[in-house]
């Protein structure tokens, strides 16, 4: 009976702890994804973000980030969505770094009004990387001739089956520099007055421990999510994990990914390649 009466009371009269919604953003950031490797992208997290910021009684939203990076476009889209919701709902955003918030992961972390990490977390890697393989010599050895027909002299730029061309590399680097500058501008804007002055190594692509990141001004503090939130909002503070709602068939929505048309074997091979690629992202930071 007492519990029923308590629920009937307006929230402002209840002696309950503050509830802080928590959204976990974990994994390699990519527009794609599959059942083997769910991707971190705006489509897959937008509903969870909307739900977290819709909580009227919560003074803040906590974002837990654990990502080695990935697509700069998806990173910026998630960042922009968080900032848009923070302004619209007038909520403070507290970002907590788990194992790593590097490259695109750190770009998303910039959406926080404050960034808090463990002393052993990895943060930074403010740069742009492109990778691939070249196979022209292999084709010669196995007696295969590569034939490419284009309308437009640069349509086959960076073809992995042809020898590298200096002008192609220069063009790719020019694109990387443009994207890198966007990243740098975001860091300078969001970390105004916090970055260690005169130390541009923070923009070199290097990454650091949380402890060193604090010294460089990349983060605001060291700590644990639960303890930090209790310190700010009281000992009765509770965390409420907000996840993406599932569809009728149990899949996360949106961002539904179905098996391809190549059959189970093709899907498995593709999945193994995706898993290997994801492991390479994490391995870049020793994880």
């Amino acid at each position: 009976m007492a519990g029923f009466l308590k629920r009937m009371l307006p929230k402002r009269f209840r002696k309950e702890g503050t509830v802080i919604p928590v959204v976990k953003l974990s994994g390699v950031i990519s527009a794609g994804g599959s059942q083997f490797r769910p991707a971190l992208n705006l489509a897959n997290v937008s509903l969870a973000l909307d739900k977290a910021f819709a909580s009227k009684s919560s003074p803040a939203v906590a974002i837990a980030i654990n990502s080695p990076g990935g697509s700069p476009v998806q990173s910026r889209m998630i960042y922009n969505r968080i900032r848009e919701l923070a302004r619209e709902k007038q909520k403070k955003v507290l970002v907590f770094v788990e194992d790593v918030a590097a490259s695109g992961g750190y770009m998303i972390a910039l959406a926080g009004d404050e960034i808090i990490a463990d002393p052993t977390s990895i943060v930074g890697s403010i740069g742009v990387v492109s990778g691939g393989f070249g196979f022209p010599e292999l084709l010669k050895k196995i007696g295969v001739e590569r034939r490419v027909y284009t309308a437009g002299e640069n349509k086959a730029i960076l073809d992995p089956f042809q020898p590298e061309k200096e002008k192609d590399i220069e063009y790719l680097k020019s694109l990387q520099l443009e994207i890198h500058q966007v990243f740098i501008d975001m860091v300078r804007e969001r970390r105004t007055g916090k970055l260690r002055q005169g130390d541009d190594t923070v923009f070199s692509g290097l990454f650091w421990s949380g402890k060193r990141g604090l010294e460089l001004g990349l983060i605001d503090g060291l700590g644990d999510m639960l303890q930090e939130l209790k310190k700010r909002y009281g000992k009765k503070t509770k965390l409420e994990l907000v996840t993406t709602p599932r569809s009728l068939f149990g899949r996360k929505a949106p961002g539904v990914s179905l098996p391809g048309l190549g059959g189970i074997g093709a899907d498995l091979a593709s999945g193994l390649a995706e898993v290997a690629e994801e492991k390479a992202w994490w391995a870049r930071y020793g994880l």
Side-chain angles (χ1 to χ4, degrees):
M1 186 67 177
F4 172 76
L5 292 174
K6 184 178 180 181
R7 288 194 297 273
M8 292 297 291
L9 284 172
K11 284 189 175 182
R12 63 179 179 275
F13 297 123
R14 300 180 197 170
K15 293 184 178 179
E16 295 180 348
T18 302
V19 176
I20 304 295
V22 178
V23 179
K24 291 180 70 71
L25 303 180
S26 181
V28 175
I29 306 162
S30 168
S34 69
Q35 68 268 38
F36 296 101
R37 184 175 63 88
L40 174 56
N41 55 46
L42 182 60
N44 285 341
V45 302
S46 59
L47 291 180
L49 290 173
D50 290 346
K51 185 178 178 182
F53 279 94
S55 176
K56 295 181 179 180
S57 61
S58 302
V61 171
I63 308 287
I65 294 182
N66 194 17
S67 174
S71 165
V73 175
Q74 290 297 324
S75 302
R76 274 181 55 81
M77 289 172 68
I78 296 172
Y79 163 89
N80 286 331
R81 184 59 180 153
I82 293 172
R83 292 313 310 159
E84 178 186 15
L85 287 167
R87 288 189 294 268
E88 178 185 332
K89 305 297 183 180
Q90 297 185 337
K91 301 281 188 185
K92 186 168 186 176
V93 180
L94 298 172
V95 167
F96 293 87
V97 180
E98 296 184 345
D99 295 279
V100 58
S103 194
Y106 183 72
M107 184 182 286
I108 296 174
L110 291 171
D113 296 299
E114 294 182 51
I115 304 173
I116 299 158
D118 187 86
T120 60
S121 297
I122 300 296
V123 297
S125 191
I126 301 167
V128 181
V129 62
S130 300
F133 299 92
F135 305 101
E137 296 303 317
L138 175 62
L139 293 184
K140 290 180 182 179
K141 288 182 179 179
I142 62 176
V144 175
E145 180 183 357
R146 172 69 165 165
R147 296 173 182 176
V148 180
Y149 309 99
T150 67
E153 62 176 314
N154 295 311
K155 190 62 179 176
I157 189 173
L158 299 172
D159 187 323
F161 296 101
Q162 297 184 27
E164 278 190 316
K165 299 175 183 176
E166 191 62 35
K167 68 173 185 175
D168 292 357
I169 298 172
E170 290 177 3
Y171 182 73
L172 177 60
K173 286 184 176 180
S174 70
L175 287 179
Q176 290 178 322
L177 288 173
E178 289 177 16
I179 298 170
H180 191 198
Q181 190 58 54
V182 171
F183 198 171
I184 290 172
D185 291 342
M186 289 177 67
V187 176
R188 284 179 170 156
E189 177 187 351
R190 294 296 296 168
R191 306 299 298 173
T192 299
K194 298 178 179 181
L195 291 175
R196 193 165 77 176
Q197 296 299 312
D199 191 346
D200 284 343
T201 57
V202 293
F203 305 124
S204 70
L206 287 175
F207 49 90
W208 295 272
S209 68
K211 183 178 179 181
R212 179 61 173 156
L214 179 61
E215 295 172 0
L216 293 170
L218 292 173
I219 65 173
D220 299 283
L222 302 173
D224 166 83
M225 179 186 288
L226 181 58
Q227 297 307 315
E228 184 67 30
L229 293 177
K230 282 187 174 183
K231 184 170 65 177
R232 293 171 184 245
Y233 301 109
K235 293 183 179 179
K236 292 186 177 180
T237 298
K238 299 177 182 177
L239 307 186
E240 183 180 81
L241 181 63
V242 180
T243 58
T244 300
R246 292 184 178 271
S247 70
L248 178 64
F249 301 103
R251 295 190 180 91
K252 289 185 178 181
V256 175
S257 113
L258 298 173
L261 299 177
I264 295 176
D267 288 332
L268 180 58
S270 176
L272 291 173
E274 289 173 349
V275 169
E277 181 183 2
E278 181 172 13
K279 285 185 176 295
W281 273 99
W282 289 101
R284 191 173 299 169
Y285 305 103
L287 299 170

